[in-house]
Amino acid sequence: MSDYKAPVRDMRFVMDEIVGLAEIASLPGYEEATPDMADAILEEAARFTGEVLAPLNRIGDTQGCKLGPDGVITPDGWKQAYKAFCDGGWNGLASPVEFGGQGLPETFGIAIKEMAASANLSFSLGPMLTGGAVAALLTCASDELKAIYLEKMITGEWTGTMNLTEPQAGSDLALLRSRAEPQADGSYRVFGQKIFITYGDHDMTDNIVHLVLARLPDAPAGVKGISLFLVPKFLVNADGSPGERNDAHCVSIEHKLGIHASPTCVMAFGDHGGAVGYLLGEANRGLEYMFIMMNEARLGVGLQGIAVGERSYQQALGYARERKQGRDAVTGEALVTLEHHPDIRRMLMLMKSRIEACRAITYYTAGLLDRAHAGTDPEQKKRDLFLAEFLIPIVKGGGTEMGIDVTSLGIQIHGGMGFIEETGAAQHWRDSRITTIYEGTTGIQANDLIFRKLMRDQGATAKVVFAEVYATAKALADSGKPELQAIGQRLNAALKAWREVSEWLAANTKNAVSGVLTAAVPYLNIAVAVCGGWMMGKAALAAVARLDQGEGDPRFYRNKIATTRFYADQMLPQAEAWAQTVMARDLAIKDIGNDLFD
Amino acid sequence: MSDYKAPVRDMRFVMDEIVGLAEIASLPGYEEATPDMADAILEEAARFTGEVLAPLNRIGDTQGCKLGPDGVITPDGWKQAYKAFCDGGWNGLASPVEFGGQGLPETFGIAIKEMAASANLSFSLGPMLTGGAVAALLTCASDELKAIYLEKMITGEWTGTMNLTEPQAGSDLALLRSRAEPQADGSYRVFGQKIFITYGDHDMTDNIVHLVLARLPDAPAGVKGISLFLVPKFLVNADGSPGERNDAHCVSIEHKLGIHASPTCVMAFGDHGGAVGYLLGEANRGLEYMFIMMNEARLGVGLQGIAVGERSYQQALGYARERKQGRDAVTGEALVTLEHHPDIRRMLMLMKSRIEACRAITYYTAGLLDRAHAGTDPEQKKRDLFLAEFLIPIVKGGGTEMGIDVTSLGIQIHGGMGFIEETGAAQHWRDSRITTIYEGTTGIQANDLIFRKLMRDQGATAKVVFAEVYATAKALADSGKPELQAIGQRLNAALKAWREVSEWLAANTKNAVSGVLTAAVPYLNIAVAVCGGWMMGKAALAAVARLDQGEGDPRFYRNKIATTRFYADQMLPQAEAWAQTVMARDLAIKDIGNDLFD
């Protein structure tokens, strides 16, 4: 069993030194986001997540959810924790003040979300999905629908869901079959079955707001004929209270590898005459609206990899500091704790450095979204948005793949005890395994990075990133400090590899599309490694500056520099290897058809 | 749910073209190991494992084992399957004829073991542990003990266990506390608790033979004071039948992440007056005897990574050939099966090529053990044994880490369905997770490779391996065929990296031990990648030769060449990256103490 203590110091360091919290707090609307406010909120969130959510994590894993005659039953303690979560105002932290939110920047929101997901990933998925639905309503709901639903969802009184997948339509949403029939009163009747619906039903709130992708009768085929509907579990009375039960039901829940306490529902819409639904925005633009939410959702899922990784790291570190086994290889001291052993230290440092690198990329991206939202210069806002969108597949793909690797190391550090479920280390690994799949697989992130984010502006945004990474590498080289120069050299070599393969891809996407697609995930791996190095490079530069100024805890800054160098030594050389793989594309297999595997 | 069809064709290819079955069949005692015999045995084993063991795999996962008042109860079908396994003669395939085995070379045995572990890893662990115990008895038991126990264990009438770990003594066996008191009749009374004892109890046989590490009263401290004892569950009557119940009891079983149907027992010896035991071999040499078995056990666990990987690959391939989703990126054809998508093909090829590379290393090592056992030239036998021992940590570390990676890809290919337990893809990943831990963690394999296998003869065996790899790379380069030359170039570059870091390590093990230990696993990764490339290079050369001769199925050989090139493009560049990491050693963290993680 493990405790969770939010890494507030590292979060604040990233917010202050890499994201630029002070600058974001100077943007219109974010004036409350002061350093003092950050201290207060992060400390309180750390207390709440550590004391209330974290102890439920293992209970959730062992009990899971059950489907009773009246719907899904969440594990013991879930209802109370959810109420406390909403009462604390955590649900609407970064939502607009006009609908009951607190209007704080996402730079704050992201840290709170990390804490919640670290403490209890299954729990955190409910608020995360609600947040996605809120974003969709803010984007495309009519004022009338906003007035009925938004405040209740932002306070958490009601939760939200996203209904995309159908049995025949997973990654390929063109295959959606759910349909919506217009009614005389302007509403619709929705029919269809949706699968993998997170928190599609539960017993924590008295209503649930489903957002459902479906086709209108006259809709074109494919992805351009999909509309978005709001389908509440209970129709809403004129006074805002839940009324008649709608024809939207959870008919079964899945038995999953992980996140047992997050109900994954098969939802039947319209099996008893039709589910009442309301069109959101314009007809046939549903997928577009979903993609607006998708960026936020993907940032959130990338964060989950970091969050579960952090939890696993804390538990592994705790074990390594407690468990005595073996002799110190250097001093010869008998029976030392595991953390003395170089290979255990290697694994702990690999966990720590990869988590910190991904945290920095993710928070930096959240900061860009804040700047894009509240900035004052339209050109700069556009640039920040493009930069954020460029980084999002890197955050999602990189954070989640890292999460699986790191939680596996968390098991390994425990030795045989790691394989015993009661230890709790295995749960993190099982929980993390969904993150590279939902909200778009790693392959889909890689394609998004290349075909949308890299190509849409002919590499202009990529060039901005390259220039920024180069500036960091140059600052490291110019620092006059050997340890920073060593980092700068590795970063520069990795950046060179990334640039080269980006140019290679640009020249080949048209005439060698299969080869580029084969190379997409290795390309994503390069981007993740380099962006991690870039962020850690910024961190090391900031740490050196603080040390030079004699400010703060020198041990923290010294460790940050060491962690950066460790990351550079372990992760950055791989960028060059993956570059070779990218440029090998599919030459090995391209002339062989589907009998390749015979 | 997945079927399992043993990859007999690839197994035979490896046996014939890489291991040299014909040569092994010419060694004294192995005359029966003809190609015809191989055909017959492999086909029959494929049938048995596919029809009898494979269907029980998921049942075992969902039911698991239970501890009843009379001991451990195995899942439905286990007893019958075990009886059929023994009746078929599979248990003693490679054991000596004089004790009821079939005396076939391990080159055969390894293929049968792979099939059993693919079909049902949990089931296969029982016979594997028995095999380890048999090897120990052959090494160090008195003729009297051999006469009582060996034949029954080789036929499978009784099973065997290995009792090493204690709560305070995992990787560090110096901490063992179990003790043995000599009795007037020459027997001993054994006392102590052992944990993580695989098949420590079960209901499939009427006796179980425990091999137990314990200390004699006058034994020196540490690893030099450990002796090995045979402790039967039931004492054996003069007529060989099981008699009085011995004081060796399973007191609880673990609730584990995977291999649910393999009972992992806490064993209490001597809680009711002392368990009757018999000293095996000489006093205080127990660990030495265990290490003799350990090589075989590690080879077997490396094989498990391959076996579970193969099962996962077959299931993922089946799904990719069935599930339709998305448009073909090259032809534009709508709604194609997953195997058309380049990223799915990348993942399938990565699975296939890494499995085949590890299979070839493992079988090659088994062949070396056969040559070392039955060869006629003492010098060559010694060289073959050293070579096998050098390769064993590479097989163990490489096969098991590969197994985890590959079964994770197996989930990924299934998308959301991979996360649903009923699909069965997740079980392979969960089952594989123990393999990098038991029989020595990956870190321990890496240390074994460097400090024992690389250093014990001042790198002489490593130089033999380097020369062999070089010869393969040169043959590829000299082939005149561009696809082979491309493989040869990558192999040569990776070999160069391996050589350089080996020399670097040799120069630094004494004065920078902490750095070398930090670099050990990255070093192991290099060895695995290069040895995989070496074996696949041999495979590609053989395939080209067969194609040139117009023999066999050209599709199989063409695919083998493509698979080799794919492996070379994806895996071999990483050797150069890890070489950079090795030589960075622990410079980032070496001056920081245990506050590194604060």
Side-chain angles (χ1 to χ4, degrees):
Chain A
M1 209 67 44
S2 79
D3 294 330
Y4 168 68
K5 198 168 169 303
V8 171
R9 193 172 47 174
D10 196 57
M11 290 171 164
R12 271 310 296 273
F13 174 81
V14 172
M15 289 161 79
D16 288 335
E17 305 284 358
I18 296 177
V19 183
L21 178 59
E23 219 178 278
I24 286 172
S26 75
L27 297 175
Y30 290 156
E31 295 84 357
E32 282 190 45
T34 60
D36 279 356
M37 178 68 149
D39 281 343
I41 286 191
L42 264 56
E43 286 306 334
E44 180 53 22
R47 194 201 57 74
F48 177 78
T49 53
E51 292 176 10
V52 179
L53 299 185
L56 293 176
N57 194 40
R58 173 125 177 94
I59 293 168
D61 187 55
T62 48
Q63 288 190 7
C65 285
K66 291 171 188 66
L67 182 58
D70 297 324
V72 169
I73 303 157
T74 53
D76 293 346
W78 238 243
K79 268 195 245 190
Q80 296 84 334
Y82 183 74
K83 186 170 183 310
F85 181 82
C86 296
D87 288 350
W90 300 116
N91 201 59
L93 200 75
S95 294
V97 176
E98 61 173 311
F99 296 107
Q102 303 194 39
L104 288 168
E106 190 55 30
T107 303
F108 280 34
I110 198 95
I112 310 307
K113 285 173 191 167
E114 182 190 322
M115 292 186 199
S118 271
N120 194 326
L121 181 61
S122 287
F123 179 91
S124 74
L125 292 177
M128 178 195 159
L129 268 292
T130 305
V134 164
L137 294 190
L138 285 168
T139 303
C140 59
S142 65
D143 288 345
E144 198 192 336
L145 289 172
K146 280 183 183 166
I148 299 173
Y149 291 97
L150 262 181
E151 185 161 340
K152 289 201 163 65
M153 293 169 75
I154 286 173
T155 59
E157 188 176 334
W158 297 348
T159 62
T161 71
M162 286 164 60
N163 291 252
L164 287 75
T165 306
E166 298 177 7
Q168 79 292 349
S171 296
D172 185 0
L173 292 172
L175 305 174
L176 283 188
R177 284 188 208 138
S178 289
R179 60 197 175 79
E181 291 178 1
Q183 305 296 307
D185 66 355
S187 74
Y188 294 79
R189 291 291 178 282
V190 176
F191 301 87
Q193 195 188 64
K194 296 286 182 177
I195 62 170
F196 298 152
I197 308 309
T198 301
Y199 278 87
D201 196 43
H202 61 80
D203 53 7
M204 304 188 302
T205 60
D206 60 9
N207 207 356
I208 300 173
V209 182
H210 303 294
L211 301 197
V212 184
L213 289 181
R215 293 183 186 283
L216 290 168
D218 56 352
V223 294
K224 290 187 176 150
I226 298 171
S227 304
L228 183 61
F229 298 87
L230 184 158
V231 180
K233 178 177 175 181
F234 290 94
L235 303 181
V236 179
N237 296 323
D239 66 356
S241 65
E244 194 186 335
R245 182 72 166 89
N246 200 1
D247 187 8
H249 297 273
C250 169
V251 293
S252 68
I253 59 174
E254 306 291 353
H255 173 223
K256 307 188 300 295
L257 172 60
I259 53 168
H260 293 163
S262 165
T264 302
C265 301
V266 175
M267 296 297 299
F269 293 95
D271 275 3
H272 309 283
V276 175
Y278 310 99
L279 181 66
L280 288 171
E282 294 174 30
N284 299 331
R285 291 184 62 188
L287 212 60
E288 195 183 313
Y289 301 138
M290 276 283 170
F291 265 98
I292 293 170
M293 284 187 293
M294 198 68 95
N295 269 328
E296 192 171 329
R298 287 178 174 176
L299 190 71
V301 175
L303 184 70
Q304 291 171 12
I306 298 155
V308 183
E310 170 72 31
R311 181 77 183 260
S312 169
Y313 167 68
Q314 290 190 15
Q315 184 166 3
L317 178 59
Y319 187 76
R321 287 184 159 170
E322 205 179 276
R323 168 81 170 169
K324 289 186 174 178
Q325 197 80 177
R327 192 176 285 276
D328 189 301
V330 177
T331 66
E333 188 187 343
L335 204 51
V336 294
T337 52
L338 292 183
E339 65 172 335
H340 283 75
H341 299 306
D343 191 56
I344 299 284
R345 287 162 75 111
R346 176 189 67 86
M347 291 192 275
L348 287 168
M349 281 302 288
L350 208 46
M351 296 178 82
K352 180 176 193 286
S353 64
R354 293 186 66 186
I355 291 164
E356 289 183 11
C358 284
R359 177 180 293 131
I361 310 175
T362 305
Y363 285 32
Y364 185 78
T365 305
L368 288 169
L369 289 174
D370 285 334
R371 292 170 197 268
H373 176 73
T376 47
D377 173 0
E379 274 307 301
Q380 184 62 38
K381 283 175 72 160
K382 193 182 160 198
R383 182 175 163 281
D384 287 338
L385 184 63
F386 265 55
L387 208 51
E389 288 178 351
F390 184 88
L391 291 174
I392 279 170
I394 296 170
V395 167
K396 197 318 187 159
T400 59
E401 295 285 350
M402 179 279 291
I404 297 175
D405 289 351
V406 152
T407 52
S408 186
L409 290 173
I411 292 176
Q412 191 71 15
I413 289 167
H414 282 82
M417 289 306 295
F419 199 65
I420 307 299
E421 283 288 1
E422 281 78 1
T423 306
Q427 184 193 345
H428 308 314
W429 190 59
R430 289 190 285 99
D431 283 354
S432 75
R433 190 63 195 80
I434 189 59
T435 61
T436 61
I437 297 171
Y438 63 15
E439 304 295 347
T441 62
T442 303
I444 286 175
Q445 304 308 314
N447 290 355
D448 179 55
L449 178 61
I450 292 178
F451 289 95
R452 256 179 245 130
K453 308 306 169 60
L454 180 65
M455 299 300 171
R456 70 172 170 188
D457 58 5
Q458 287 75 47
T461 305
K463 286 198 186 95
V464 173
V465 175
F466 297 158
E468 295 264 358
V469 180
Y470 180 75
T472 300
K474 188 163 185 308
L476 291 161
D478 293 348
S479 65
K481 316 229 178 211
E483 67 275 26
L484 295 192
Q485 287 167 331
I487 299 166
Q489 271 176 7
R490 294 231 193 261
L491 183 56
N492 213 17
L495 171 62
K496 188 162 162 283
W498 189 16
R499 268 192 168 141
E500 276 174 18
V501 294
S502 299
E503 281 162 21
W504 179 87
L505 280 178
N508 284 277
T509 35
K510 289 236 169 87
N511 55 20
V513 65
S514 165
V516 170
L517 285 164
T518 303
V521 169
Y523 179 81
L524 175 67
N525 292 343
I526 299 171
V528 172
V530 177
C531 288
W534 168 33
M535 290 294 138
M536 292 301 280
K538 281 174 175 279
L541 286 164
V544 162
R546 295 295 166 202
L547 283 173
D548 286 352
Q549 292 154 7
E551 284 176 12
D553 178 3
R555 194 165 60 166
F556 174 78
Y557 295 122
R558 226 171 46 226
N559 285 348
K560 184 62 92 174
I561 297 164
T563 306
T564 302
R565 179 148 187 208
F566 192 85
Y567 179 93
D569 289 344
Q570 299 276 331
M571 301 304 296
L572 288 178
Q574 298 185 21
E576 295 163 76
W578 283 314
Q580 291 192 51
T581 299
V582 167
M583 290 192 284
R585 46 184 165 159
D586 61 348
L587 281 183
I589 53 174
K590 83 180 176 60
D591 298 327
I592 304 181
N594 285 332
D595 66 0
L596 184 59
F597 306 106
D598 287 339
Chain B
M1 210 67 44
S2 78
D3 295 330
Y4 168 67
K5 197 168 169 304
V8 171
R9 194 172 47 173
D10 196 57
M11 290 171 163
R12 271 309 297 274
F13 174 81
V14 172
M15 289 161 79
D16 289 334
E17 306 283 358
I18 297 178
V19 183
L21 178 60
E23 219 178 278
I24 286 172
S26 75
L27 298 176
Y30 290 156
E31 294 84 357
E32 283 190 44
T34 60
D36 279 355
M37 178 69 149
D39 281 342
I41 287 191
L42 264 56
E43 286 305 333
E44 180 53 23
R47 194 200 57 73
F48 177 77
T49 53
E51 292 176 11
V52 179
L53 298 186
L56 292 177
N57 193 40
R58 174 125 176 93
I59 292 168
D61 187 55
T62 49
Q63 287 189 6
C65 285
K66 291 170 189 64
L67 182 59
D70 298 324
V72 169
I73 302 157
T74 54
D76 294 345
W78 238 242
K79 269 196 246 189
Q80 296 84 335
Y82 183 73
K83 186 171 182 310
F85 181 82
C86 296
D87 288 350
W90 301 115
N91 201 59
L93 200 75
S95 294
V97 175
E98 61 172 309
F99 295 108
Q102 303 194 39
L104 288 168
E106 191 54 29
T107 302
F108 279 34
I110 198 94
I112 310 306
K113 285 174 190 167
E114 183 191 322
M115 291 186 199
S118 271
N120 195 327
L121 181 60
S122 287
F123 178 91
S124 74
L125 292 176
M128 178 194 159
L129 267 291
T130 304
V134 164
L137 293 191
L138 284 169
T139 303
C140 59
S142 65
D143 287 343
E144 197 192 335
L145 289 173
K146 279 183 183 163
I148 300 172
Y149 292 98
L150 262 181
E151 185 161 340
K152 289 201 163 67
M153 293 170 75
I154 285 173
T155 59
E157 189 177 336
W158 297 348
T159 62
T161 70
M162 286 163 61
N163 292 251
L164 287 75
T165 306
E166 298 176 8
Q168 80 292 348
S171 296
D172 185 359
L173 292 172
L175 305 176
L176 283 187
R177 283 188 208 138
S178 290
R179 60 197 175 80
E181 291 179 2
Q183 305 296 307
D185 66 355
S187 73
Y188 294 80
R189 290 292 179 280
V190 176
F191 302 87
Q193 195 187 65
K194 295 285 181 176
I195 62 169
F196 298 153
I197 307 310
T198 300
Y199 278 88
D201 197 43
H202 60 80
D203 53 7
M204 304 188 304
T205 61
D206 60 9
N207 207 356
I208 300 173
V209 182
H210 303 294
L211 302 198
V212 184
L213 289 180
R215 293 183 187 281
L216 290 167
D218 55 351
V223 294
K224 291 188 174 149
I226 298 172
S227 304
L228 183 60
F229 297 88
L230 184 158
V231 181
K233 178 176 175 182
F234 290 94
L235 303 182
V236 179
N237 296 323
D239 66 357
S241 65
E244 194 185 334
R245 183 72 166 88
N246 200 0
D247 188 8
H249 297 273
C250 169
V251 292
S252 68
I253 59 173
E254 306 292 352
H255 171 223
K256 307 188 300 295
L257 172 59
I259 53 167
H260 293 164
S262 165
T264 302
C265 301
V266 176
M267 297 296 299
F269 293 95
D271 274 5
H272 309 283
V276 175
Y278 311 99
L279 181 66
L280 288 170
E282 293 175 31
N284 299 331
R285 291 184 61 188
L287 213 60
E288 195 183 314
Y289 301 138
M290 276 282 168
F291 265 98
I292 292 169
M293 285 188 293
M294 198 68 94
N295 269 328
E296 192 172 329
R298 287 178 174 176
L299 190 72
V301 175
L303 184 71
Q304 291 171 12
I306 298 155
V308 182
E310 170 72 30
R311 181 77 183 259
S312 169
Y313 167 69
Q314 291 189 14
Q315 185 167 2
L317 179 59
Y319 187 76
R321 288 184 157 168
E322 205 179 276
R323 169 80 171 169
K324 290 184 174 179
Q325 197 80 175
R327 191 177 285 276
D328 188 302
V330 177
T331 66
E333 187 187 343
L335 204 51
V336 293
T337 51
L338 292 183
E339 65 171 334
H340 283 76
H341 299 307
D343 191 56
I344 299 285
R345 288 161 75 110
R346 177 189 67 85
M347 290 192 276
L348 286 169
M349 281 301 289
L350 209 46
M351 296 177 83
K352 180 176 192 285
S353 64
R354 293 187 66 188
I355 291 164
E356 290 182 11
C358 284
R359 177 180 293 130
I361 310 175
T362 306
Y363 286 30
Y364 184 78
T365 306
L368 289 168
L369 290 174
D370 284 333
R371 293 170 196 267
H373 176 73
T376 47
D377 173 359
E379 274 306 302
Q380 184 62 38
K381 284 175 73 159
K382 194 183 159 197
R383 182 176 163 281
D384 287 337
L385 183 64
F386 265 55
L387 208 51
E389 288 178 351
F390 184 88
L391 291 174
I392 278 171
I394 296 170
V395 166
K396 203 297 188 172
T400 59
E401 295 285 349
M402 178 280 291
I404 297 175
D405 289 352
V406 153
T407 53
S408 187
L409 289 174
I411 292 176
Q412 190 72 15
I413 288 168
H414 281 83
M417 289 306 296
F419 199 64
I420 307 300
E421 284 287 1
E422 281 78 1
T423 306
Q427 184 192 345
H428 308 313
W429 191 58
R430 288 190 285 99
D431 283 354
S432 74
R433 190 62 193 82
I434 188 60
T435 61
T436 61
I437 298 171
Y438 62 15
E439 303 295 347
T441 63
T442 303
I444 286 174
Q445 304 308 315
N447 290 353
D448 179 55
L449 178 62
I450 293 177
F451 289 96
R452 258 181 241 126
K453 307 307 168 60
L454 180 65
M455 300 300 172
R456 71 172 169 186
D457 57 5
Q458 286 76 49
T461 304
K463 286 199 186 94
V464 172
V465 175
F466 298 158
E468 295 264 358
V469 180
Y470 180 75
T472 300
K474 189 162 185 310
L476 291 161
D478 293 348
S479 66
K481 316 229 177 212
E483 68 274 27
L484 295 192
Q485 287 168 331
I487 298 165
Q489 271 176 10
R490 294 230 192 262
L491 182 56
N492 213 17
L495 172 62
K496 188 162 163 283
W498 190 15
R499 270 192 167 142
E500 275 174 18
V501 293
S502 299
E503 281 161 21
W504 179 88
L505 281 178
N508 284 277
T509 36
K510 288 236 169 88
N511 55 19
V513 65
S514 164
V516 170
L517 285 165
T518 303
V521 168
Y523 179 82
L524 175 67
N525 293 342
I526 299 171
V528 173
V530 177
C531 288
W534 167 34
M535 290 293 138
M536 292 302 280
K538 281 174 175 280
L541 287 163
V544 161
R546 296 294 167 202
L547 283 173
D548 286 350
Q549 292 154 6
E551 283 175 14
D553 178 2
R555 195 165 60 166
F556 175 77
Y557 294 122
R558 226 172 45 227
N559 286 348
K560 184 61 92 172
I561 298 164
T563 306
T564 303
R565 179 146 187 208
F566 192 84
Y567 179 92
D569 289 345
Q570 299 276 331
M571 301 305 295
L572 288 178
Q574 297 185 21
E576 295 163 77
W578 283 315
Q580 291 193 50
T581 300
V582 167
M583 290 192 284
R585 45 184 165 160
D586 62 346
L587 280 183
I589 53 175
K590 83 180 176 59
D591 298 326
I592 304 181
N594 285 331
D595 67 358
L596 184 59
F597 307 105
D598 287 338

